[in-house]
């Protein structure tokens, strides 16, 4: 929303406090420095907390609109419109959810391993996107002219690039090679 785009987040980096936008804060939450990740996480959530009344109102309004639309269309449950948009049977999603729930121990093992690899006794929420290992190699723009793009489906999507948009970006950037990923089942790939 415009409101979220207008917010600024205070983050301390190397002893200096910076005001950053949402995109910058999210990138800093993936920094190699644990202190930078912690500061970005705290700055992000402190700003959200300071605006919780308005954010709650926005969320409640959008959710009520969603429920009204679901009732008007006589959907059987709140997930049905999502399943229809993804052209997947709700029963398949239910099976996937049961499998994930039965195997949640795999995620616990992953987080324990990540903590061990990072040399941290207990992972905090701001450690979830911590990079593993040092990034020693840097790439110039010229070396990175290959493009990997999201091309979820033909129709525009609220959170992913769609095929036409990805093709437009490819045409404008003129990379040597482009790769489309995350394609939906309605694309014949």
């Amino acid at each position: 929303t415009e409101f979220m785009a207008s917010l600024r987040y205070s983050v301390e980096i190397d002893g200096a406090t910076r005001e950053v936008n949402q995109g910058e804060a999210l990138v800093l939450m993936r920094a190699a420095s644990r202190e930078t990740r912690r500061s970005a996480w705290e700055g992000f959530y402190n700003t959200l907390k300071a605006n919780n009344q308005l954010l709650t109102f926005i969320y409640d309004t959008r959710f009520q609109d969603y429920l009204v639309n679901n009732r008007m269309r006589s959907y059987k449950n709140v997930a049905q419109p999502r399943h229809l948009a993804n052209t997947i049977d709700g029963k398949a999603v239910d099976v996937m959810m049961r499998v994930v729930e039965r195997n949640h121990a795999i995620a616990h093992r992953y987080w324990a391993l990540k903590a061990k690899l990072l040399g941290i006794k207990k992972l905090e929420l701001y450690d979830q996107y911590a990079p593993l290992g040092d990034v020693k190699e840097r790439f110039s723009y010229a070396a990175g002219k290959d493009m990997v793009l999201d091309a979820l489906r033909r129709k525009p999507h609220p959170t992913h690039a769609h095929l036409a948009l990805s093709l437009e970006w490819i045409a404008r950037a003129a990379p040597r090679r482009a790769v489309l990923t995350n394609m939906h089942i309605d694309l014949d790939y």
Side-chain angles (χ1 to χ4, degrees):
T1 67
E2 283 184 49
F3 179 70
M4 287 297 291
S6 74
L7 294 177
R8 293 295 174 260
Y9 309 89
S10 294
V11 179
E12 188 176 315
I13 303 171
D14 298 325
T17 301
R18 286 184 36 207
E19 295 291 315
V20 299
N21 64 29
Q22 182 180 9
E24 292 169 305
L26 294 174
V27 167
L28 291 169
M29 285 187 213
R30 290 163 166 76
S33 162
R34 190 170 197 217
E35 279 307 305
T36 300
R37 289 194 309 273
R38 181 197 52 75
S39 181
W41 187 87
E42 288 176 354
F44 186 81
Y45 286 101
N46 286 339
T47 298
L48 294 183
K49 184 178 181 181
N51 292 281
N52 70 344
Q53 189 172 9
L54 180 56
L55 291 169
T56 299
F57 175 75
I58 292 168
Y59 174 81
D60 286 347
T61 302
R62 293 191 65 176
F63 187 67
Q64 287 302 318
D65 182 58
Y66 182 77
L67 292 177
V68 167
N69 278 317
N70 286 358
R71 278 193 294 271
M72 285 184 354
R73 290 175 172 77
S74 300
Y75 290 132
K76 294 176 183 138
N77 59 58
V78 295
Q80 189 178 4
R82 186 79 265 139
H83 300 331
L84 290 171
N86 290 330
T87 59
I88 190 167
D89 188 320
K91 291 175 185 170
V93 174
D94 292 341
V95 168
M96 180 197 67
M97 294 294 290
R98 284 194 302 275
V99 168
V100 168
E101 288 167 0
R102 276 196 312 264
N103 293 286
H104 72 278
I106 294 170
H108 289 274
R109 288 197 315 265
Y110 168 78
W111 294 115
L113 176 61
K114 184 163 188 172
K116 183 177 179 181
L117 291 170
L118 290 171
I120 300 170
K121 185 173 181 133
K122 179 181 183 267
L123 285 180
E124 298 294 338
L125 285 174
Y126 52 80
D127 293 319
Q128 64 185 331
Y129 299 117
L132 294 172
D134 292 330
V135 178
K136 292 181 174 64
E137 199 169 358
R138 299 277 185 229
F139 295 93
S140 67
Y141 173 77
K145 282 202 96 170
D146 290 342
M147 256 185 162
V148 177
L149 290 174
D150 197 1
L152 185 64
R153 61 185 192 193
R154 293 184 192 286
K155 296 186 310 186
H157 188 276
T159 60
H160 296 282
H162 58 284
L163 183 61
L165 182 60
S166 293
L167 293 176
E168 178 186 327
W169 287 341
I170 291 168
R172 286 194 345 226
R176 183 182 61 226
R177 177 177 54 180
V179 177
L180 299 176
T181 66
N182 197 24
M183 291 188 278
H184 194 261
I185 59 174
D186 68 343
L187 292 174
D188 183 18
Y189 56 93

